Amino acid sequence: MKLASPCMALTLFAVAAPVPAAPGQAAPSDRWIHIRVENTEAKGEMVRVNVPLTLAEKVLPTINNDRIHNGKLKVNQANVNGVDLHALLDAVRSARDGEFVTAQGTTGDVRVAKNAGYLQVHVRELKEGTPKRVEVRLPLTVVDALVSAGSNELDLVAGLRALATQGDTELVTVKDGRSTVRIWLDSKNTAD
């Protein structure tokens, strides 16, 4: 499975920072991020990670390795291929809900949309006869917090603080012929 780097980044994103909850929501100490990786080729092997956001808040800033330092992830450029990422996100945030990009081809499809305060990205790839699917659903408040660090960093701690204010939600699903990765947020201290 060639998802090691994205999974690691998502795992690190999934590890940090409580904020007072809105009325009717679980307290931040009750918020848990869950990551489940199932490998069907390896005789049912599975990895489950369940992390309370309060623990993540304390751990993430202690990681100083490669591009991650003090709860921030260095990115090569926020100006990717001539596109200003901050300006693009501002345009998406202020736009009405809708499907912004749909690309369909013989080897896969990509869809980018905004719906009810969420940025949604769906990718389907048909390569080497094995269908692969990636679905990401992030609250725009979390995306804004992630890019608040500046032009060449993602603030993972700020992103998690924003995530802690959300209700139960599915964040990422990745499926291919050999494995499934799922990342979600809820108030349970065990994975389902």
Side-chain angles (χ1 to χ4, degrees), residues 9-162:
L10 289 168
T11 301
L12 292 172
F13 169 73
V15 181
V19 167
Q25 290 184 331
S29 61
D30 294 332
R31 305 306 292 154
W32 289 70
I33 192 83
H34 305 278
I35 302 167
R36 183 172 60 198
V37 180
E38 297 178 46
N39 188 338
T40 57
E41 285 188 343
K43 299 179 183 170
E45 290 180 355
M46 182 183 305
V47 175
R48 291 185 182 125
V49 177
N50 306 297
V51 179
L53 293 179
T54 53
L55 173 63
E57 173 187 16
K58 295 174 182 173
V59 171
L60 189 58
T62 68
I63 299 170
N64 291 300
N65 186 355
D66 195 23
R67 297 183 336 194
I68 299 174
H69 294 280
N70 303 318
K72 294 182 179 156
L73 173 68
K74 287 214 179 278
V75 292
N76 292 338
Q77 300 175 0
N79 188 342
V80 182
N81 293 329
V83 176
D84 182 337
L85 183 60
H86 292 280
L88 177 65
L89 289 173
D90 185 50
V92 169
R93 185 183 323 98
S94 61
R96 293 175 48 192
D97 284 2
E99 191 167 305
F100 301 130
V101 176
T102 302
Q104 296 175 310
T106 58
T107 60
D109 306 323
V110 175
R111 177 181 174 267
V112 178
K114 176 187 169 193
N115 186 23
Y118 283 84
L119 179 63
Q120 299 172 328
V121 179
H122 300 274
V123 179
R124 187 178 60 90
E125 183 180 276
L126 297 170
K127 205 175 206 182
E128 301 166 9
T130 305
K132 297 174 184 165
R133 190 183 75 192
V134 177
E135 296 180 11
V136 178
R137 183 176 181 262
L138 283 179
L140 283 168
T141 55
V142 173
V143 175
D144 289 340
L146 283 169
V147 299
S148 67
S151 62
N152 66 342
E153 290 182 318
L154 294 178
D155 191 333
L156 302 175
V157 173
L160 287 165
R161 285 186 179 136

